[in-house]
Amino acid sequence: MSQQEQKQAPLIEHLVELRSRLMRAVVVILVIFLGLYAFANDIYTFVADPLMALLPEGSQMIATEVASPFLAPFKLTLMVAFLIAVPFVLHQAWAFIAPGLYDNEKHLALPLLASSIVLFYAGIAFAYYVVFPLLFQFFTQAGPAKVAVMTDIQQYLNFVLKLFFAFGVAFEIPVATFLLILSGATTVESLSRKRPYIILGCFVIGMLLTPPDVVSQSLLAVPMYLLYEVGLLFGRLVKRKRDAESEE
C-alpha cells in the first residue's frame, strides 16, 4: 500500500463512521416522527393554545392556503421529533469526536453537552410558558377595536418556531461565556468591564430576533443578560479553582 493510500484509509474510515452516525440520527428522528404523527393536530393545538386562550370571543385561527391544515401540523411534528431526538443526535456527535479528545477534555465536554441540552429545552419552555402568554395578551389587546384577530396557522407556526429557536439559543449564553473564559479567549475581568456593551448587545439581538415591540425584545434581552451573569459566575469559580491549584 502506497503512502498516499495509507493517509486516505483513516479519512475514509472516518467518513464511513460519520455517515453511519448521521443515518442513525435520521432514522431515530423519523421513527419518533412516525410515532407522533397521529397526534400532529393535538401537538399543534397545544402550541397554539397560548394564543387561542386570549383570542376575543368569536375569533379563531384560519388557514389561508389550501395545504396549510396539513403542512403546519406536519412541520411542527417534524420539529418536535427533532427536539426529542436532540440528546441522541448529540450523543452520536459525541461518540464521533470523543476518541480524538484528551481525558480532561472528555470530563469537561460531557457536563457542557448536558448543560447545553437542558438550557436549550429551558429556553423553549420559558418562551412557551412565560413569554407567549404575555406577548399574545399584548398583541390581542393592542389592535384597533373593530379589527378581528384571526391568525393564519402557518404564519403563527413560523412566528413561534422563530421565538423557540431564539430563546433556545439565547439560553446557551452561560455555556458560551464559560467556554470563552475557559479557553483563554477572554477573562472574567474583561467581560465584567464590558457590561454596558453586553446590555446594549442583548437588546440589539432581542430587536433582531423578536417582533418589533418593546415587550418581546425585553423578554428576550433581560434573560440573556441574566444568563450572561451566570456564565461569568461559573467563570469566576473556575478561575478561583485554577488559582488555588496553582498555589498548591
Side-chain angles (χ1 to χ4, degrees), residues 135-156:
L135 196 60
F136 295 147
Q137 184 175 22
F138 171 78
F139 285 159
T140 54
Q141 294 179 357
K146 295 184 179 181
V147 174
V149 181
M150 292 186 291
T151 304
D152 176 65
I153 60 173
Q154 187 66 47
Q155 294 299 322
Y156 175 80

Side-chain angles (χ1 to χ4, degrees), residues 109-122:
L110 278 175
L112 287 175
L113 185 62
S115 300
S116 298
I117 296 172
V118 171
L119 286 171
F120 189 81
Y121 287 155

Side-chain angles (χ1 to χ4, degrees), residues 58-73:
S59 297
Q60 60 184 359
M61 298 184 74
I62 60 174
T64 57
E65 298 179 4
V66 175
S68 291
F70 166 75
L71 289 179

Side-chain angles (χ1 to χ4, degrees), residues 100-113:
L101 300 177
Y102 295 108
D103 289 339
N104 61 330
E105 293 175 333
K106 292 180 182 179
H107 294 155
L108 183 62
L110 278 175
L112 287 175
L113 185 62

Side-chain angles (χ1 to χ4, degrees), residues 43-80:
I43 294 172
Y44 190 93
T45 300
F46 175 78
V47 173
D49 187 63
L51 176 62
M52 295 292 292
L54 295 169
L55 287 178
E57 186 176 354
S59 297
Q60 60 184 359
M61 298 184 74
I62 60 174
T64 57
E65 298 179 4
V66 175
S68 291
F70 166 75
L71 289 179
F74 181 93
K75 180 179 178 181
L76 177 59
T77 305
L78 186 60
M79 182 60 65
V80 171

